[in-house]
Amino acid sequence: MDVLAIDEKKARQSVKALYAHIHKQQPDQPEAVWLMVHTMRDIVRIRESPLPIKHAIQQAGTRRCLFSRDPQQKIKDLLAQKKAKGIHNVIGLSKFRKSQAKELLDKYDVFLADKRLARVLSKSLGKFYKECRPTYIDLDQPDLQKEIIRVVHTTLMDYRKGSTW
C-alpha cells in the first residue's frame, strides 16, 4: 500500500484558516473542530486503528475502565506492582454482564482493553463494544505508566467506506 503524501504546510494553513473563521463568528465560545479525512482511493482496513495525537483529548479527571482477561486480580496486582496510575477499574471478561453496560457508560469516560483480547472482545461485549470503543493497551510493556500515557494521547481512526455527505 502506498503512503499518502500530505502537504503539511497546506494542511496547517487550512486548519488555521478554519479556526480563524470559527473564532470570527463566535469569539467568546471555545469550539471543537472535527477533522474528516477523505481519500480518492479506498483504504481497506478491518477495524479502526489508533492515531497518536500531540495534545491529549482526555482531561485530568477522566475516569478509565480496563477490560482484561481472567483472573482480573492478577492485572490489578500488576498495576499496583508497577505503580501505574490512571486506570480506575479493572473488569475481567467473565465478570462483565451486559445488564451493567449502561451503568459502566455513565460511570466511565474511556474504556481500555488488554491487547491480547482484540479478537474476542467484540463477541464478548456484544452491542456494548460499539458504544464503548475500547482502546487497546499492551500490559506486557516494562514501563506500564508510559504505555498508559501513550493510550491517553491516542484517538481511534475509523476507516469507513461511503459518502461523507
Side-chain angles (χ1 to χ4, degrees):
M1 179 178 272
D2 298 330
V3 176
L4 298 174
I6 297 174
D7 187 359
E8 187 175 337
K9 186 177 177 183
K10 284 184 181 179
R12 196 175 297 273
Q13 183 180 9
S14 299
V15 170
K16 284 182 181 179
L18 176 63
Y19 182 75
H21 176 72
I22 291 172
H23 189 67
K24 192 186 307 180
Q25 287 182 342
Q26 302 170 344
D28 301 347
Q29 298 174 338
E31 183 71 29
V33 177
W34 293 86
L35 177 66
M36 184 179 295
V37 178
H38 178 75
T39 62
M40 297 305 282
R41 295 177 289 169
D42 287 339
I43 298 176
V44 179
R45 293 275 178 143
I46 295 171
R47 59 174 187 212
E48 60 222 357
S49 62
L51 181 68
I53 52 178
K54 186 174 181 179
H55 301 289
I57 296 173
Q58 302 174 29
Q59 301 298 322
T62 303
R63 298 199 41 86
R64 296 175 195 92
C65 180
L66 173 69
F67 290 108
S68 70
R69 60 190 169 117
D70 295 315
Q72 69 188 31
Q73 190 59 43
K74 281 186 179 179
I75 304 299
K76 288 180 181 179
D77 293 341
L78 176 71
L79 292 172
Q81 175 191 358
K82 294 194 175 186
K83 297 179 179 146
K85 296 179 180 160
I87 296 178
H88 300 91
N89 192 10
V90 178
I91 299 176
L93 281 185
S94 65
K95 302 284 184 187
F96 175 75
R97 301 287 173 254
K98 291 181 182 176
S99 60
Q100 69 184 144
K102 179 114 171 102
E103 180 184 326
L104 288 174
L105 283 171
D106 291 341
K107 193 171 182 182
Y108 298 102
D109 303 314
V110 176
F111 293 91
L112 309 174
D114 188 350
K115 186 173 93 172
R116 295 170 283 203
L117 296 176
R119 294 182 187 263
V120 298
L121 195 62
S122 63
K123 187 179 275 188
S124 300
L125 298 181
K127 289 181 182 178
F128 180 67
Y129 180 79
K130 287 187 178 182
E131 293 177 32
C132 72
R133 293 184 60 171
T135 305
Y136 293 103
I137 184 169
D138 187 5
L139 296 175
D140 294 331
Q141 290 290 327
D143 189 359
L144 200 52
Q145 186 63 42
K146 190 180 271 187
E147 180 70 5
I148 292 170
I149 291 170
R150 182 195 65 79
V151 169
V152 167
H153 284 81
T154 301
T155 189
L156 294 175
M157 181 156 175
D158 196 1
Y159 297 92
R160 295 184 187 212
K161 290 185 175 183
S163 174
T164 57
W165 300 103

